[in-house]
Amino acid sequence: MTIREEMKLVKLASPKLAATAGETRNAALEAVSAALLAHQEEIFAANRADMEQARQDGVPGPILKRLKFDEGKMRDVIAGIRDLVAMQDPLFQTQLKRELDEGLVLEKVTCPIGVIGVIFEARPDALIQISALCIKSGNCVILKGGSEALRTNKKLFEIIYGAVRESGLPEYCMMQLEARSEITELLECHESVDLLIPRGSNAFVQYIMNNTKIPVMGHADGICHIYVDKDADLDRAVPIIFDAKTQYVSACNAVETLLAHRDVAAELMPRLKAALDEKQVEIRGSREIADLIDCAPATEADDASEYLDYILSVKTVSDMQEAIDHINYYGSHHTDCIVTENAAAAEQFMNLVDSAGVYQNCSTRFADGYRYGFGAEVGISTGKIHARGPVGLDGLLSCKYKLYGQGQIVADYASGAKQFHFKDL
Amino acid sequence: MTIREEMKLVKLASPKLAATAGETRNAALEAVSAALLAHQEEIFAANRADMEQARQDGVPGPILKRLKFDEGKMRDVIAGIRDLVAMQDPLFQTQLKRELDEGLVLEKVTCPIGVIGVIFEARPDALIQISALCIKSGNCVILKGGSEALRTNKKLFEIIYGAVRESGLPEYCMMQLEARSEITELLECHESVDLLIPRGSNAFVQYIMNNTKIPVMGHADGICHIYVDKDADLDRAVPIIFDAKTQYVSACNAVETLLAHRDVAAELMPRLKAALDEKQVEIRGSREIADLIDCAPATEADDASEYLDYILSVKTVSDMQEAIDHINYYGSHHTDCIVTENAAAAEQFMNLVDSAGVYQNCSTRFADGYRYGFGAEVGISTGKIHARGPVGLDGLLSCKYKLYGQGQIVADYASGAKQFHFKDL
């Protein structure tokens, strides 16, 4: 069977999975937990082999750290599955119930999206989380993990798919791609795949977005800003900027550009520089900033750069509107923050900045499904169609309209013989 | 200024429009109503000129009927605007309010999508309805109407844009394209346009979907089915099929294929044929159907055809699952109906059929925003990402996350010094 033929079978399985009861999907999640624990030694052994290979191939430290799957990570994913089981069934939820006329009742109910393709980095725990979210939400999933985790992923998929099949979920409700070349085939299967969620580098996500007709949810850039207002409390501003820049530099929600109101820049910058110097953060400043502190010169390219590194570009603005305009023009609509004690200014900033996350007086690093209390996330979306921001279970849902009648026909309403009365139930 | 430059200005206007108060947008709608009435003679004159030209160009009758804009249509659109004014502001609605930790409050609030491009048929009332929906939902709109309505649309746009500008909505919150060639430029402006809603023929919508990176909402095909179950009441089945086929044959929600359970086909078909003969409907039947009634032979092409004409393809199925499989494979996921008195069978059909509308015992022609009580619709979506089914105000919304803090940083939560407590407010 070719990859394409198998994807068609996944598509055919999707209405069957969508119709399964919440208890069946929860039982499948419990079975997955049990099977993972029962086979953990095999999983760890496969992961050791992947780690060994990756070390031989000179894979860098941070990637090795994500690749590793040990007892601590197993505990976390098992806890995550338990949280999902405890959550209300997201499917068959009635969002609207309306009597259009006597004996003609409309219901809008939640349903899964269908078949979701997820392309993710070499992190075995991500495979488990994504699978669990898709099982809970009744979505068929096609998984393609980073190649460094090949052996671990193969083992995990075998265990998870086996457990869900034994629990009564339909054949082909999950599928795994192994070779990178299979991504090309996935991108072409718009008749079988309803949504793609690519995770990874900016260039990779851009590539996916430019090479498929399948709707794509996710984000390429993460150029986040902090604007320090003239009414900012600088005792708050400095630690917020320090955290947003240095707590984890390679995250998409780390700050890349600081916009300082001209009235506070002279007091802010020396204090900020002292803090950032601790972590050897390179500041690239506009000419005005260079007059205040010792820093490298910023060019326009810096305004549009996602450094993912210990670098921060800084410029002054003469008012909040200038900051808003800069963010809407150069930003990536991910997460942007205002530091101010002025509630009216904060509200204006938060309404006018066109981003998935708009913050007052806290670190941009909070933009994350776990930190929002969503339990888990499949990714963060900067698009405005469908889910926006961190995407948990909700973002994996669609809806359908059910209309229950007793023989009603449109001709009677078109002729005026009958009238709709629209009564919400 | 080029079209592209103007679209960029529309994009820049979009956060300003998104931040306007509900009262301002309502005042703008009232001003639009008043201006339309004040200038109705000019509008009717422009429309008479369009009608005259269309008649000279040999435009067919049904299109002329839609092109005409007279006092009756004016009354309808004014009533539609009044309904929109009375509706609650869809923006700034809090969908989630959660204290993540003391003094750190997350809110998920509704906001507009941004800039919406709508390409629609030569129907002047559509221009007014679409504009009104976009004003109410805070979306900037780029309008391209059918060329036969050029003069009417130009006049309408001038009046509507003038009225909203005087009411304080931002400059460039609306834009009109006039030449067909400008559609190509619109499709290329993915940095300025957040969503496209094309209305029109299957081929045209397919063309749009295949030639842009902008997300597209809408539908190409409308291949709707009615399945007559073994437990159907045939006294209900016949008028439902008659209405769904003949009440308005060129609508996307008209039925194209009938699937009859083998147990009822012999009784159903002669009665149905007698009814459909009244309207000279051509029946294209499978071999089994041809044994029951006089009909043309159906080929596999008929299974995948949207006739938009007085033609119905009919085949027998041996059970409900065969009907479901047929619909999911050949259908367009628009609206499909089961005729049955068996509630359990209906529920199973409605859960397993993967369509935006799944009906029991009523005509597929009910699939429409007005008939669902949405007040107005911009179109019907068969996609599962974002809005599905008839799209009213709700489908024009996105959301953003606002996070209000008091200096919180992520390092404190990563180190364990602080814990989230997730309390919904």
Side-chain angles (χ1 to χ4, degrees):
Chain A
M1 191 160 41
T2 67
I3 296 284
R4 250 157 227 268
E5 285 163 348
E6 196 173 339
M7 288 192 206
K8 274 192 192 164
L9 295 178
V10 175
K11 181 72 180 170
L12 290 175
S14 70
K16 292 177 206 154
L17 181 60
T20 53
E23 302 88 67
T24 311
R25 282 174 277 117
N26 271 349
L29 287 173
E30 308 260 26
V32 167
S33 269
L36 288 171
L37 288 171
H39 296 276
Q40 65 176 339
E41 289 313 324
E42 296 162 50
I43 300 168
F44 296 155
N47 187 248
R48 277 192 301 271
D50 278 334
M51 290 288 287
E52 183 50 40
Q53 180 73 53
R55 268 191 219 97
Q56 279 177 26
D57 296 347
V59 165
I63 296 182
L64 283 181
K65 218 171 132 186
R66 288 192 289 192
L67 176 57
K68 189 169 186 183
F69 189 75
D70 55 12
E71 293 193 338
K73 289 201 181 162
M74 177 67 95
R75 251 195 319 275
D76 290 348
V77 296
I78 297 291
I81 294 175
R82 198 174 47 228
D83 289 348
L84 275 177
V85 170
M87 283 181 183
Q88 194 191 24
D89 187 4
L91 303 186
F92 310 113
Q93 296 294 316
T94 303
Q95 298 183 317
L96 172 85
K97 188 168 182 176
R98 177 175 294 167
E99 194 179 76
L100 305 184
D101 190 9
E102 208 174 304
L104 186 62
V105 175
L106 180 72
E107 283 187 31
K108 184 183 182 184
V109 295
T110 55
C111 68
I113 287 177
V115 179
I116 300 181
V118 190
I119 308 168
F120 54 101
E121 60 280 30
R123 257 186 56 196
D125 49 335
L127 186 150
I128 303 173
Q129 285 162 357
I130 294 162
S131 303
L133 279 167
C134 287
I135 294 167
K136 181 78 183 187
S137 59
N139 283 291
C140 292
V141 65
I142 298 172
L143 298 156
K144 171 65 183 79
S147 52
E148 297 87 351
L150 190 64
R151 296 176 190 82
T152 321
N153 284 348
K154 208 165 167 164
K155 178 56 71 182
L156 287 172
F157 181 81
E158 180 191 310
I159 294 167
I160 295 172
Y161 184 58
V164 303
R165 287 288 294 131
E166 274 182 35
S167 312
L169 298 196
E171 200 177 355
Y172 296 110
C173 68
M174 299 180 70
M175 175 176 169
Q176 170 144 269
L177 303 179
E178 293 179 6
R180 184 173 275 253
S181 60
E182 294 170 349
I183 293 179
T184 312
E185 295 192 65
L186 173 62
L187 299 188
E188 286 168 5
C189 286
H190 62 277
E191 301 203 333
S192 300
V193 182
D194 295 291
L195 179 67
L196 281 180
I197 305 179
R199 317 196 322 179
S201 72
N202 184 331
F204 175 70
V205 175
Q206 287 284 6
Y207 170 80
I208 298 287
M209 289 177 169
N210 290 337
N211 286 283
T212 186
K213 286 197 226 171
I214 305 170
V216 176
M217 188 156 72
H219 69 277
D221 289 327
I223 306 178
C224 300
H225 299 76
I226 294 177
Y227 162 60
V228 180
D229 188 44
K230 68 179 165 50
D231 296 327
D233 176 348
L234 300 187
D235 290 339
R236 281 181 170 171
V238 174
I240 287 172
I241 301 163
F242 180 83
D243 185 85
K245 181 70 258 178
T246 70
Q247 201 265 334
Y248 184 39
V249 287
S250 56
C252 57
N253 55 16
V255 69
E256 306 292 11
T257 300
L258 172 69
L259 301 168
H261 193 286
R262 201 155 277 150
D263 293 359
V264 297
E267 195 187 335
L268 172 69
M269 289 313 300
R271 291 172 60 181
L272 181 64
K273 183 168 164 48
L276 293 177
D277 276 350
E278 262 180 59
K279 296 269 186 182
Q280 283 93 48
V281 175
E282 175 187 339
I283 296 178
R284 297 188 186 169
S286 62
R287 201 168 295 180
E288 253 179 283
I289 297 295
D291 288 343
L292 301 171
I293 55 163
D294 183 25
C295 65
T299 66
E300 209 198 327
D302 289 290
D303 289 330
S305 289
E306 183 183 22
Y307 304 117
L308 300 173
D309 203 348
Y310 289 92
I311 304 170
L312 180 71
S313 74
V314 187
K315 68 197 288 183
T316 53
V317 291
S318 55
D319 58 22
M320 186 168 74
Q321 190 59 50
E322 195 184 334
I324 293 167
D325 291 342
H326 178 101
I327 294 169
N328 284 341
Y329 188 81
Y330 290 105
S332 59
H333 312 289
H334 190 299
T335 303
D336 301 288
C337 176
I338 180 172
V339 181
T340 188
E341 299 302 302
N342 180 332
E347 212 47 41
Q348 209 186 332
F349 177 91
M350 292 162 98
N351 287 337
L352 282 165
V353 168
D354 185 19
S355 298
V358 282
Y359 288 12
Q360 180 193 9
N361 291 340
C362 51
S363 170
T364 52
R365 291 271 301 119
F366 282 105
D368 173 287
Y370 293 91
R371 296 185 188 127
Y372 281 8
F374 294 171
E377 65 168 44
V378 283
I380 293 183
S381 165
T382 56
K384 295 157 101 176
I385 307 305
H386 209 75
R388 195 180 190 201
V391 180
L393 276 182
D394 277 359
L396 300 179
L397 301 179
S398 184
C399 67
K400 68 201 307 188
Y401 287 95
K402 294 180 171 182
L403 184 63
Y404 298 91
Q406 300 172 353
Q408 283 84 352
I409 58 171
V410 165
D412 287 339
Y413 298 87
S415 71
K418 285 183 171 186
Q419 271 89 37
F420 294 110
H421 65 219
F422 301 136
K423 211 188 290 176
D424 284 344
L425 304 176
Chain B
M1 189 161 39
T2 66
I3 297 285
R4 249 157 230 267
E5 285 162 349
E6 197 173 339
M7 287 192 205
K8 273 191 193 165
L9 295 177
V10 175
K11 180 72 180 170
L12 290 174
S14 71
K16 292 176 207 155
L17 181 60
T20 53
E23 302 87 68
T24 310
R25 282 174 277 118
N26 271 349
L29 287 173
E30 309 259 26
V32 168
S33 270
L36 288 172
L37 288 172
H39 296 276
Q40 65 176 338
E41 289 314 322
E42 296 162 50
I43 300 167
F44 297 154
N47 187 247
R48 278 191 301 271
D50 278 333
M51 291 287 287
E52 182 50 41
Q53 180 73 52
R55 269 190 218 98
Q56 278 176 26
D57 295 347
V59 165
I63 295 181
L64 283 181
K65 216 171 133 186
R66 288 192 288 193
L67 176 58
K68 189 167 187 186
F69 189 76
D70 56 11
E71 293 192 339
K73 289 201 181 161
M74 177 67 95
R75 250 196 318 275
D76 289 347
V77 295
I78 296 291
I81 295 175
R82 198 174 46 229
D83 289 347
L84 275 177
V85 170
M87 283 181 185
Q88 193 191 24
D89 187 4
L91 303 186
F92 309 113
Q93 297 294 316
T94 304
Q95 299 182 315
L96 172 85
K97 189 167 182 176
R98 177 175 293 166
E99 194 180 75
L100 306 185
D101 189 10
E102 209 174 303
L104 187 63
V105 175
L106 180 72
E107 283 188 30
K108 184 183 182 183
V109 296
T110 55
C111 69
I113 287 176
V115 178
I116 300 182
V118 190
I119 309 168
F120 54 102
E121 60 279 31
R123 256 186 57 195
D125 50 334
L127 186 149
I128 303 173
Q129 285 163 358
I130 293 162
S131 303
L133 279 167
C134 286
I135 294 167
K136 181 77 183 187
S137 59
N139 284 291
C140 292
V141 65
I142 298 171
L143 298 155
K144 171 67 182 79
S147 52
E148 297 87 349
L150 189 65
R151 296 175 190 82
T152 321
N153 285 348
K154 209 166 167 165
K155 180 54 72 181
L156 287 172
F157 181 81
E158 180 191 309
I159 293 168
I160 296 172
Y161 184 58
V164 304
R165 287 289 293 132
E166 273 182 37
S167 312
L169 299 195
E171 199 177 354
Y172 296 110
C173 67
M174 298 180 70
M175 175 176 169
Q176 169 144 271
L177 302 180
E178 293 179 6
R180 183 173 276 254
S181 60
E182 293 170 350
I183 293 179
T184 312
E185 295 192 65
L186 173 63
L187 299 187
E188 286 168 4
C189 285
H190 61 277
E191 301 204 331
S192 301
V193 182
D194 294 291
L195 179 67
L196 282 180
I197 305 180
R199 318 197 318 182
S201 72
N202 184 331
F204 175 70
V205 176
Q206 287 283 6
Y207 170 80
I208 299 287
M209 289 178 168
N210 291 337
N211 286 283
T212 186
K213 286 197 226 172
I214 304 170
V216 176
M217 188 156 72
H219 69 277
D221 289 327
I223 306 178
C224 300
H225 299 76
I226 294 178
Y227 162 60
V228 180
D229 187 45
K230 68 178 164 50
D231 297 325
D233 175 349
L234 299 187
D235 289 339
R236 281 182 170 171
V238 174
I240 288 172
I241 300 163
F242 181 83
D243 185 84
K245 181 70 257 179
T246 70
Q247 202 265 332
Y248 185 39
V249 287
S250 58
C252 58
N253 55 15
V255 69
E256 307 293 9
T257 300
L258 172 68
L259 302 167
H261 193 286
R262 201 154 279 150
D263 294 357
V264 297
E267 195 187 335
L268 172 68
M269 290 313 300
R271 291 171 60 180
L272 181 64
K273 183 168 164 48
L276 294 178
D277 276 351
E278 264 180 56
K279 296 269 184 183
Q280 283 92 49
V281 175
E282 175 187 340
I283 296 178
R284 297 189 186 169
S286 61
R287 201 168 296 181
E288 253 179 285
I289 297 295
D291 289 343
L292 301 171
I293 55 163
D294 182 25
C295 67
T299 65
E300 208 197 327
D302 289 291
D303 290 330
S305 288
E306 183 182 22
Y307 304 117
L308 300 173
D309 204 348
Y310 290 91
I311 304 170
L312 180 71
S313 74
V314 186
K315 68 197 286 183
T316 52
V317 291
S318 55
D319 59 21
M320 185 168 73
Q321 189 59 50
E322 194 183 334
I324 293 167
D325 291 342
H326 178 100
I327 294 169
N328 285 341
Y329 188 82
Y330 290 104
S332 60
H333 313 289
H334 190 299
T335 303
D336 300 288
C337 175
I338 180 172
V339 180
T340 188
E341 298 302 302
N342 180 332
E347 212 48 40
Q348 209 186 333
F349 177 91
M350 292 161 97
N351 287 337
L352 282 165
V353 168
D354 185 19
S355 297
V358 281
Y359 288 13
Q360 179 193 9
N361 292 340
C362 51
S363 169
T364 53
R365 291 273 300 121
F366 282 105
D368 174 287
Y370 292 91
R371 298 185 187 126
Y372 282 7
F374 294 171
E377 65 168 43
V378 282
I380 293 183
S381 166
T382 55
K384 294 158 101 176
I385 306 305
H386 209 75
R388 195 180 190 201
V391 181
L393 275 182
D394 277 0
L396 301 179
L397 301 180
S398 184
C399 67
K400 67 202 307 189
Y401 287 95
K402 293 181 171 181
L403 184 62
Y404 298 90
Q406 299 172 354
Q408 282 84 352
I409 59 172
V410 164
D412 287 339
Y413 298 87
S415 71
K418 285 183 171 187
Q419 271 90 37
F420 294 110
H421 65 218
F422 302 136
K423 211 186 294 174
D424 284 345
L425 303 175

